[in-house]
Amino acid sequence: MAVRKLVTVVEEIHQEGGRAVEPAARIAVVAAVIDNPWAGQGFVEDLAPGIEATASDVGALLAPRVLEALGAPAEAYGKAAIVGLDGEVEHGSALIHTLKFGDHFRRAASATTLLPAVEKRAAAGTVFDIPLKHITDATIRSHHQSVEVRLADAPHPGEIVVALAAAAQGRPQQRLAPLSSEQ
């Protein structure tokens, strides 16, 4: 796995709706800009060798970094793969929609739910939103949120941006009734 760069973003929200958020709401994102393991090969029927060579390594790289950047236990999490224009959306999906990738984050965050994801093919500088859900119960509405990310110079055409996001809490000032109240 060839990593061109790592980007870490930490957002702290101190005020929402005109009211203080105590403690500040924290969301962290760590993104790796890596070479697309299938770039320049034309259509690749069997993606398994590239998955085997890359998915676990990128998951192991990102999971501890995003939790360290968050600086608190994660309550919500998500993932992203943004494929450069010379690749296919399937290339990003192949890396992040495997237990070889996701289980690193699940174990590190003591999580049990599936990681919500976004994947797309795009030019460098595209904006993408990483969806977040609660780490153990995806029906907890307060933790349904997203974080916007943009890397000015990535992905290059033969690269993939792979990112993990974690939040230390649900949305600031959330006040929706639990899903169970509607059943």
Side-chain angles (χ1 to χ4, degrees), residues 87-100:
E88 302 171 38
V89 172
E90 189 70 3
H91 296 163
S93 296
L95 294 180
I96 69 171
H97 292 300
T98 173
L99 297 177
K100 294 176 186 310

Side-chain angles (χ1 to χ4, degrees), residues 1-102:
M1 175 180 70
V3 178
R4 179 164 64 90
K5 72 178 194 174
L6 293 168
V7 176
T8 301
V9 176
V10 177
E11 178 177 287
E12 285 189 359
I13 301 169
H14 292 269
Q15 199 175 101
E16 181 73 26
R19 292 186 172 186
V21 176
E22 294 290 338
R26 290 180 61 88
I27 298 176
V29 177
V30 176
V33 180
I34 65 171
D35 286 345
N36 181 335
W38 302 282
Q41 299 178 39
F43 185 85
V44 176
E45 186 69 40
D46 182 7
L47 300 177
I51 293 168
E52 194 63 39
T54 308
S56 182
D57 289 346
V58 74
L61 174 68
L62 295 176
R65 287 176 182 265
V66 73
L67 293 174
E68 180 182 341
L70 185 62
E75 288 188 13
Y77 66 170
K79 61 188 174 183
I82 311 305
V83 180
L85 295 178
D86 287 348
E88 302 171 38
V89 172
E90 189 70 3
H91 296 163
S93 296
L95 294 180
I96 69 171
H97 292 300
T98 173
L99 297 177
K100 294 176 186 310
F101 174 79

Side-chain angles (χ1 to χ4, degrees), residues 62-166:
L62 295 176
R65 287 176 182 265
V66 73
L67 293 174
E68 180 182 341
L70 185 62
E75 288 188 13
Y77 66 170
K79 61 188 174 183
I82 311 305
V83 180
L85 295 178
D86 287 348
E88 302 171 38
V89 172
E90 189 70 3
H91 296 163
S93 296
L95 294 180
I96 69 171
H97 292 300
T98 173
L99 297 177
K100 294 176 186 310
F101 174 79
D103 276 354
H104 289 284
F105 201 8
R106 269 187 284 283
R107 281 191 299 272
S110 299
T112 56
T113 58
L114 293 175
L115 277 152
V118 63
E119 58 265 47
K120 67 181 184 177
R121 181 174 50 217
T126 193
V127 174
F128 57 99
D129 292 331
I130 302 175
L132 302 171
K133 303 261 185 190
H134 194 277
I135 64 169
T136 60
D137 184 350
T139 68
I140 296 177
R141 288 179 173 172
S142 60
H143 289 61
H144 293 198
Q145 56 185 317
S146 62
V147 58
E148 184 176 284
V149 183
R150 178 183 175 273
L151 305 182
D153 69 340
H156 289 172
E159 294 178 332
I160 302 175
V161 174
V162 179
L164 292 178

